Amino acid sequence: MAIQLAFYKEHQQFCLTYEAGMMRLFRDGRTETVRPVTQQSCAFVKAMCNPKTSKEECRKLLYFACENHQETARRAMIGEGVDRHLFCLYIVSKALKIDSPFLQQVLGEPWRLSTSQTPHDQTGVLRTNEFPERLSFGGGFGPVADDGYGISYVIAGENHVFFHVSSYAHCKQTVRPVSV
């Protein structure tokens, strides 16, 4: 939700967002797309941007948005996502030399936010709460659209979240001068 809020505050709009969801429950499973922009996430973001909305209302909307997002991610992980199915239809249409305006439109939309979580200490062996020097800042995740962002994030224990945000230097919409 923080990523959606940050994008909206920067660009005053929502965008098609890719979030990787693991499909390791299936043999040779890789990823499915979790689509985090939902009615619930949009309601939360708009409430956060409205100074008249109470903190209590924002918390309630955040809770609903997160609950919905977790359910969406679970469903994607058990094969109930749509993007890999659409990709398969695209491959079949190309193999059969069938033009599909629907697939061209749906698969042609740019993913302006491309996100991925880097798992961290899932087994508890590192005990990062006791030994914070063992924290890893994670890696990067590049943008997939010229005017988009790639965001990798790490939730490291109870007290640390790391974000890596990347964009193309040539894009005026995603790059701002940094003053030191």
Side-chain angles (χ1 to χ4, degrees):
M1 295 308 121
I3 295 169
Q4 295 301 316
L5 177 59
F7 186 91
Y8 189 85
K9 287 179 96 171
E10 181 67 22
H11 298 282
Q12 289 74 51
Q13 66 181 4
F14 297 100
C15 71
L16 189 59
T17 303
Y18 170 83
E19 181 175 329
M22 73 98 184
M23 298 277 299
R24 303 234 186 257
L25 298 174
F26 298 92
R27 181 175 178 205
D28 299 325
R30 292 183 46 92
T31 62
E32 172 59 277
T33 303
V34 177
R35 291 177 173 248
V37 179
T38 62
Q39 291 177 347
Q40 292 84 352
S41 70
C42 292
F44 162 70
V45 166
K46 287 180 179 178
M48 287 295 292
C49 294
N50 181 351
K52 295 179 181 176
T53 307
S54 70
K55 287 183 181 181
E56 184 177 316
E57 180 67 11
C58 288
R59 275 190 215 105
K60 182 179 85 171
L61 292 170
L62 174 61
Y63 175 82
F64 290 139
C66 289
E67 284 291 311
N68 184 67
H69 182 71
Q70 288 176 354
E71 179 60 25
T72 301
R74 279 192 286 272
R75 291 181 65 194
M77 288 163 48
I78 62 169
E80 294 181 8
V82 298
D83 288 278
R84 295 306 171 258
H85 298 288
L86 290 172
F87 182 66
C88 287
L89 287 173
Y90 171 77
I91 296 298
V92 169
S93 73
K94 290 298 177 189
L96 297 175
K97 297 182 180 12
I98 298 172
D99 243 0
S100 171
F102 167 75
L103 290 173
Q104 288 172 0
Q105 179 184 348
V106 170
L107 298 175
E109 295 178 28
W111 298 91
R112 292 210 166 81
L113 278 178
S114 183
T115 68
S116 182
Q117 179 181 1
T118 303
H120 193 276
D121 196 21
Q122 294 176 311
T123 62
V125 171
L126 294 177
R127 298 183 357 225
T128 55
N129 286 334
E130 289 178 64
F131 303 101
E133 68 275 8
R134 295 179 181 173
L135 288 173
S136 167
F137 300 118
F141 201 70
V144 295
D146 282 349
D147 61 347
Y149 301 91
I151 303 173
S152 172
Y153 60 97
V154 177
I155 300 172
E158 296 294 319
N159 302 311
H160 298 88
V161 178
F162 303 105
F163 288 92
H164 298 262
V165 181
S166 61
S167 65
Y168 290 107
H170 68 269
C171 181
K172 293 177 184 168
Q173 291 90 350
T174 61
V175 174
R176 282 202 233 163
V178 176
S179 59
V180 180

